[in-house]
Amino acid sequence: SHLIICLLTFETEEFGPVFIHEPDDVIFSLNSDEKKVMLHCEARGNPPPTYSWYVNGTEVDSKTDYRYSFIDGDLIIENASETIDYGRYQCQAENSYGTILSRDALLQFAYLGAFSTRARGEVSVREGQGVVLMCTPPPHSPEIIYSWVFNEFPSFVAEDSRRFISQVTGNLYISKVQPSDVGSYICLVKNSVTNLRVLSPPTPLTLKTDGVMGEYEPKIEVHFPTSVLAAKGVTVRLECFALGNPVPTITWRKINGNIPKKARLRKSQAVLEIPNIQLEDSGTYECKAENPRGGTAFKGHLQVYTLPQWVRMINDTQMDSGEKLQWECKAIGRPRPNYRWLRNGLPLNAKDHVEIVNGELTIHKVQQADSGMYQCVAENKYGAVYSNAELKILASPPLFVTNPVRVIATLGKDVSLECKPRASPKPRITWRRADRKLQPNKRITLLRNNTLKIVNSSRADEGNYVCRAENQLGSAEMTAILWVKEAMRVVLSPSRVEVTVGESVVLSCKATHDTSLDVAFQWFFNQKPIDFQQDGSHFEYIQTQVSTVDLMIRSILLKHAGKYGCRAQTSADTVLTEAELLVRGPPGPPGVVIVEEITDTTATLSWTRGLDNHSPISTYNLQARSPFSLGWQTVKTDPDPVTGDMESAMAVELNPWVEYEFRVVASNAIGTGDPSTPSRKVRTKEAVPAIAPSNVSGGNGRRHELVISWEPVSEEFQNGEGFGYIVAFRANGTRGWKEKMVTSADATMYKYRDETFPPLTPFEVKVGVYNNKGDGPFSKVVIIHSAEGEPREAPSDVKAYSISSSEIRVSWKPPNPGPGRPRAYEVSYWKESEQEESGKKQQTVKNETSMVLTGLEGNNIYLITVKGFNNIGQGPDSQQLYLDPLPDIGIRNLDCQLL
């Protein structure tokens, strides 16, 4: 029911008009299909406001001019025309509480007329002379964009250092005419709003035949004005272009300053463009045109203006009649704004009790007639801003919303009886008790706000107190009924308790109070109310008796340490008492870890102590992480162990030239805490490699090759930059070692070729390591044989015989024993009518010496070869055989006579 009453109160509150949407500037296209202009205006108020409109200060009358109509606050203009409707429009909103005027909205019209059809005369100049071709644009609004067509559309004139189209004059400037410029020129203009385009009649450009123009100094033909005004935030474009022979170069500078960094040069430096212009961009700018014959310059001043902007605005105000109103509005702008005031849409002038000094309005002893809507207007010649506020003058007899008022006080405490009627003007207040006017004394005081204060209240103070309020519009009384009760006492036990993480505890809160009063309890943790729904997994509220409640804290965490408060409250009294809970747990994380010193295998670390959480720190554990470790790993330390009273230690047995992070973890009797944040990354210093390659082996390879392979040393153990391998080998029974450097740290193999040693020669081999700091150890010596090579001989005695019309068995004898033994054999066969490359191949699984070929076609002669292969490569082919797969056809050697 309270919510419904609040809503009704809000809906029935009356107030003056407030704009929701003020009219915006409009540019209306005259060639639009929609011949209707709409200006939007919307305001709220209670009662709902009515609207009227003004154009150039004159009220719009829809009754006498049918073209005007209103839809709510919007103004509709039918068949709008520039001659009648161009101007500044203001919307006025009005209800019984006052009137406000909107800001100005400018209505402009967009159009583009046609060029004069009169033929344009020929322009004739000498080669090398400068020329200006005039555009003479038709009537238009607003701005238009200029371009020029050469000979025929759409061949446009390209702008460069020699040719320039001014977007101010529309003219085409050619600084030095060339024979290629001869032709017909047409000015094309486009309306920036409607995008309508029109073309001028052509202007012929011809060359005179009486000679070529000699060189001459530049003459600036088009330039920005001597004084340029620009609104803050817009993009400013300054033009400067000169005629001359040779073609002049344009440069820019700012007198007594630097050209803004955001500025850009366009169109071969003929345009200086400054985006988002600011006050500091104001100043004198100079463009200079130069060629070998001389130079000339032009200066102009750029001034930036700003529309007024509010710094301080006025706000709705309610006052009692007779009070003093002081309003101040303040705006910034360039030029500095002037101020004027409106009341209910009309100018407000200083008179009688009204003072106006710029943006300050003072009304002495406001009266009911001063009520209404006020507007402060700050304006300069570039625009105006409005700040609106409503002034309400209150007038009502005294009224007490709540009557009577019951007050319960605590014995021995101070008590205050308030008297706050609604009334305007302010009423005169008197207090009485038992029909006798109360006189102030040591215990009873009447405060400035009309509150009656009783100090050190007793049972004798109980009773009825009457406040009377009176002004010229009426009077009213309010009764305050005072009861004085015994003070409440609250005991919270235990008052201090220590527990360990994971344990549970119960805090009990008991209140002793006047039995005629109900008591309510609330639990707090570190001055904040406990949310038993959100924190139900740890906190439980238990009501044991009417005046006793318990707080169960279970599965205690470190974060539960702190002060717990129990607040007991009656209608007379509120008492809060607190208990402290200490939680013992694993230590908190140590402070920042600093790497004090780094060597190739050690790092000296320091840190600051973290919280011990009420159990002394016993030891610290140092951990490291590198790109090669699986997460964080405990490192050995000096000293070992690192005891809880220490704040520095050395990590030892680290790997050289590895990037490490370090952190520290503290432990106490209860457990191990969270780690510190990691240190910055540091790299240990370089050292000679200490680990040799493993699994050195080899073999295979081509004939006369010694292939040596190994497992590379991990980057973790390379110990520095410039890491590589030293491969050492010697033939069995020889004394000197051959050593070869392998500079790639990722290398896994080295091949040595020497045609003087036979296959399967045994070698002693070892592989060592080095880096920029020096040579490291070699691996153990192993025996590796040189390659036996690919098969050197072809299979012999190749035979074949038919099994069926589509199957043949082929057999052969292996090559003589020796290096290059075949691991298996490959049989190739193809039709006599085909090329060998298009034939088929079939391999044995191992080194079998026969194979069955299937899928052959009868009545076809086949050719067959056999060769051995191993891991190194393939041996030579056997002699070719001719074969007819039919059973009655024999097999012949290549040397036999062909059938």
Side-chain angles (χ1 to χ4, degrees):
S1 61
H2 293 298
L3 178 62
I4 294 170
I5 292 170
C6 289
L7 287 172
L8 288 172
T9 303
F10 177 78
E11 291 291 330
T12 56
E13 180 188 352
E14 296 191 341
F15 57 94
V18 178
F19 281 119
I20 298 172
H21 186 98
E22 297 184 59
D24 296 312
D25 292 346
V26 174
I27 301 179
F28 182 71
S29 174
L30 284 177
N31 57 356
S32 166
D33 294 335
E34 181 74 36
K35 295 296 183 185
K36 191 161 47 177
V37 176
M38 186 177 81
L39 295 167
H40 183 47
C41 178
E42 185 180 357
R44 61 185 179 89
N46 193 10
T50 57
Y51 300 90
S52 52
W53 283 82
Y54 292 83
V55 54
N56 300 325
T58 302
E59 185 172 1
V60 172
D61 188 351
S62 61
K63 293 178 181 176
T64 59
D65 192 336
Y66 71 93
R67 298 183 313 112
Y68 296 122
S69 59
F70 300 106
I71 299 177
D72 296 327
D74 297 343
L75 172 63
I76 313 296
I77 307 175
E78 303 277 358
N79 299 320
S81 72
E82 184 185 31
T83 52
I84 303 173
D85 299 310
Y86 174 89
R88 296 192 173 274
Y89 288 73
Q90 275 185 293
C91 168
Q92 179 175 285
E94 178 179 6
N95 70 7
S96 56
Y97 284 90
T99 305
I100 52 174
L101 273 174
S102 74
R103 62 169 175 255
D104 287 357
L106 178 63
L107 174 58
Q108 302 177 76
F109 292 83
Y111 58 88
L112 179 59
F115 278 97
S116 166
T117 56
R118 192 165 50 117
R120 298 194 173 191
E122 176 186 287
V123 177
S124 185
V125 295
R126 292 189 181 93
E127 181 182 345
Q129 191 176 352
V131 70
V132 180
L133 301 181
M134 312 295 282
C135 178
T136 317
H140 61 272
S141 175
E143 306 83 28
I144 52 178
I145 300 167
Y146 297 92
S147 54
W148 282 77
V149 175
F150 181 52
N151 286 332
E152 61 181 21
F153 188 85
S155 174
F156 287 94
V157 173
E159 295 180 82
D160 51 28
S161 59
R162 199 173 59 84
R163 293 171 295 192
F164 176 68
I165 299 169
S166 170
Q167 293 302 319
V168 177
T169 65
N171 299 336
L172 170 62
Y173 300 83
I174 304 176
S175 63
K176 174 188 171 185
V177 174
Q178 299 175 351
S180 59
D181 296 323
V182 171
S184 179
Y185 289 83
I186 300 165
C187 181
L188 184 150
V189 296
K190 182 175 83 169
N191 190 295
S192 58
V193 173
T194 65
N195 288 325
L196 185 67
R197 296 197 275 188
V198 293
L199 296 163
S200 73
T203 301
L205 176 64
T206 61
L207 284 183
K208 293 181 178 179
T209 57
D210 58 352
V212 176
M213 183 77 173
E215 294 185 354
Y216 65 96
E217 65 182 15
K219 177 191 175 188
I220 294 177
E221 195 67 37
V222 59
H223 57 72
F224 57 99
T226 54
S227 180
V228 178
L229 284 171
K232 177 183 174 184
V234 303
T235 296
V236 172
R237 294 175 179 85
L238 305 179
E239 293 185 348
C240 183
F241 189 77
L243 310 184
N245 186 4
V247 175
T249 300
I250 306 294
T251 56
W252 294 82
R253 71 184 182 112
K254 184 180 181 185
I255 309 297
N256 299 325
N258 296 320
I259 287 180
K261 289 184 178 179
K262 62 189 174 184
R264 298 288 179 268
L265 291 170
R266 309 286 189 198
K267 297 190 178 183
S268 300
Q269 307 196 127
V271 176
L272 175 65
E273 184 178 280
I274 309 174
N276 189 24
I277 195 126
Q278 300 296 310
L279 295 175
E280 60 267 22
D281 299 327
S282 299
T284 301
Y285 288 80
E286 178 189 78
C287 78
K288 183 180 286 187
E290 295 175 292
N291 70 7
R293 304 295 296 180
T296 183
F298 175 80
K299 295 176 187 174
H301 188 74
L302 171 62
Q303 184 175 340
V304 179
Y305 67 84
T306 60
L307 302 173
Q309 282 184 296
W310 286 120
V311 175
R312 185 179 300 122
M313 303 173 72
I314 57 175
N315 297 304
D316 292 346
T317 302
Q318 294 186 359
M319 306 189 81
D320 292 330
S321 58
E323 289 188 322
K324 178 181 178 181
L325 170 72
Q326 282 189 299
W327 264 334
E328 182 187 9
C329 59
K330 189 174 183 180
I332 55 172
R334 179 176 289 192
R336 183 181 298 168
N338 297 315
Y339 301 90
R340 56 189 175 91
W341 288 83
L342 305 175
R343 181 170 68 198
N344 294 329
L346 299 174
L348 178 65
N349 299 312
K351 62 176 182 178
D352 300 333
H353 64 306
V354 178
E355 286 182 23
I356 296 176
V357 181
N358 291 325
E360 295 182 20
L361 169 66
T362 305
I363 303 179
H364 301 277
K365 296 184 179 179
V366 294
Q367 305 159 10
Q368 192 64 40
D370 296 317
S371 294
M373 300 301 299
Y374 287 75
Q375 294 179 280
C376 175
V377 186
E379 57 191 350
N380 61 21
K381 62 181 180 179
Y382 300 110
V385 288
Y386 288 69
S387 176
N388 307 345
E390 180 179 2
L391 174 61
K392 277 187 178 177
I393 306 302
L394 304 175
S396 65
L399 173 67
F400 290 99
V401 177
T402 306
N403 192 13
V405 176
R406 291 168 177 78
V407 180
I408 302 174
T410 302
L411 193 64
K413 299 283 183 71
D414 297 349
V415 63
S416 296
L417 304 179
E418 291 185 339
C419 181
K420 291 185 175 179
R422 291 182 181 175
S424 182
K426 289 180 179 177
R428 185 170 60 86
I429 303 295
T430 56
W431 281 90
R432 71 177 190 272
R433 183 184 182 193
D435 297 327
R436 292 179 60 185
K437 184 178 180 181
L438 278 173
Q439 297 298 330
N441 56 38
K442 289 182 179 180
R443 289 184 56 250
I444 299 177
T445 310
L446 184 61
L447 304 181
R448 283 190 174 184
N449 63 357
N450 300 316
T451 296
L452 188 68
K453 184 176 181 180
I454 303 173
V455 178
N456 189 20
S457 60
S458 66
R459 299 279 190 188
D461 295 320
E462 290 186 331
N464 293 353
Y465 295 77
V466 177
C467 166
R468 178 178 176 82
E470 188 173 3
N471 67 10
Q472 57 263 46
L473 299 175
S475 63
E477 291 186 346
M478 182 272 297
T479 300
I481 305 168
L482 176 63
W483 287 296
V484 181
K485 304 290 185 179
E486 287 284 344
M488 177 170 55
R489 297 191 310 278
V490 177
V491 177
L492 179 58
S493 61
S495 60
R496 189 177 189 276
V497 61
E498 290 190 19
V499 295
T500 301
V501 167
E503 295 180 345
S504 300
V505 72
V506 175
L507 301 178
S508 186
C509 180
K510 183 176 182 180
T512 305
H513 59 95
D514 189 302
T515 55
S516 66
L517 302 176
D518 293 330
V519 63
F521 295 92
Q522 188 173 16
W523 286 97
F524 292 83
F525 174 45
N526 290 335
Q527 287 82 49
K528 292 184 178 178
I530 295 175
D531 185 335
F532 288 96
Q533 285 188 332
Q534 183 176 337
D535 299 321
S537 59
H538 293 286
F539 296 116
E540 183 180 355
Y541 182 104
I542 303 170
Q543 179 96 39
T544 56
Q545 297 176 18
V546 174
S547 300
T548 305
V549 293
D550 290 346
L551 174 64
M552 165 77 82
I553 312 171
R554 59 168 62 90
S555 303
I556 288 173
L557 304 175
L558 285 171
K559 68 179 183 179
H560 294 138
K563 289 188 176 294
Y564 286 82
C566 172
R567 186 175 73 183
Q569 185 172 14
T570 67
S571 53
D573 208 358
T574 300
V575 178
L576 175 69
T577 183
E578 290 186 317
E580 186 175 12
L581 177 65
L582 298 177
V583 180
R584 294 186 300 270
V592 178
V593 177
I594 297 172
V595 182
E596 304 281 1
E597 186 180 356
I598 193 87
T599 70
D600 55 347
T601 59
T602 68
T604 303
L605 311 178
S606 67
W607 59 90
T608 54
R609 290 176 60 84
L611 297 173
D612 64 9
N613 290 325
H614 309 293
S615 177
I617 295 172
S618 55
T619 58
Y620 288 102
N621 179 256
L622 273 57
Q623 298 178 344
R625 179 172 64 182
S626 76
F628 313 107
S629 64
L630 292 172
W632 291 94
Q633 302 291 326
T634 298
V635 294
K636 293 184 178 180
T637 60
D638 181 14
D640 185 18
V642 182
T643 56
D645 57 347
M646 301 178 69
E647 292 186 22
S648 69
M650 182 185 292
V652 298
E653 297 185 21
L654 304 175
N655 289 328
W657 199 239
V658 170
E659 191 173 64
Y660 286 98
E661 294 174 277
F662 297 95
R663 70 182 188 184
V664 179
V665 182
S667 299
N668 61 14
I670 296 168
T672 299
D674 291 330
S676 68
T677 54
S679 71
R680 63 182 177 89
K681 292 181 179 179
V682 292
R683 187 182 283 276
T684 48
K685 297 190 181 305
E686 291 180 282
V688 173
I691 294 180
S694 59
N695 292 337
V696 177
S697 60
N700 296 326
R702 296 192 172 276
R703 188 177 294 116
H704 306 304
E705 279 186 349
L706 173 64
V707 178
I708 302 167
S709 61
W710 60 88
E711 283 190 17
V713 175
S714 162
E715 185 183 348
E716 182 180 6
F717 302 109
Q718 292 174 6
N719 291 7
E721 291 189 303
F723 182 85
Y725 299 95
I726 304 169
V727 181
F729 53 92
R730 65 185 177 188
N732 266 11
T734 60
R735 297 186 63 182
W737 291 90
K738 275 188 164 59
E739 290 190 352
K740 298 294 182 181
M741 307 281 282
V742 179
T743 57
S744 169
D746 300 322
T748 61
M749 180 185 293
Y750 174 73
K751 291 181 180 180
Y752 175 68
R753 183 173 180 82
D754 186 342
E755 298 194 3
T756 63
F757 57 76
L760 298 176
T761 300
F763 282 84
E764 291 181 281
V765 176
K766 59 183 179 179
V767 181
V769 288
Y770 72 92
N771 64 16
N772 290 348
K773 297 293 284 187
D775 293 349
F778 277 92
S779 66
K780 291 181 181 179
V781 175
V782 297
I783 302 297
I784 299 175
H785 290 82
S786 65
E788 62 176 342
E790 67 275 8
R792 303 179 64 181
E793 297 180 12
S796 61
D797 198 16
V798 179
K799 295 178 180 179
Y801 61 90
S802 300
I803 298 173
S804 70
S805 62
S806 62
E807 292 180 310
I808 287 176
R809 178 176 291 278
V810 182
S811 64
W812 58 89
K813 288 183 180 179
N816 294 322
R821 289 167 298 179
R823 181 182 64 78
Y825 295 91
E826 182 177 272
V827 177
S828 301
Y829 56 100
W830 63 96
K831 293 178 184 178
E832 184 183 33
S833 60
E834 296 174 345
Q835 295 295 319
E836 180 179 352
E837 291 75 16
S838 62
K840 295 182 181 179
K841 302 181 190 298
Q842 203 165 320
Q843 293 180 347
T844 62
V845 178
K846 294 183 180 178
N847 54 358
E848 297 93 348
T849 57
S850 68
M851 177 187 293
V852 174
L853 304 180
T854 61
L856 304 180
E857 298 176 11
N859 298 318
N860 278 289
I861 295 176
Y862 282 87
L863 285 81
I864 300 173
T865 62
V866 182
K867 59 185 170 188
F869 66 90
N870 59 16
N871 292 337
I872 310 307
Q874 295 181 335
D877 287 327
S878 67
Q879 286 186 312
Q880 293 179 351
L881 289 184
Y882 279 94
L883 163 67
D884 187 335
L886 293 174
D888 56 339
I889 302 297
I891 302 166
R892 290 157 299 244
N893 189 284
L894 179 65
D895 295 333
C896 298
Q897 183 179 351
L898 297 177
L899 292 176

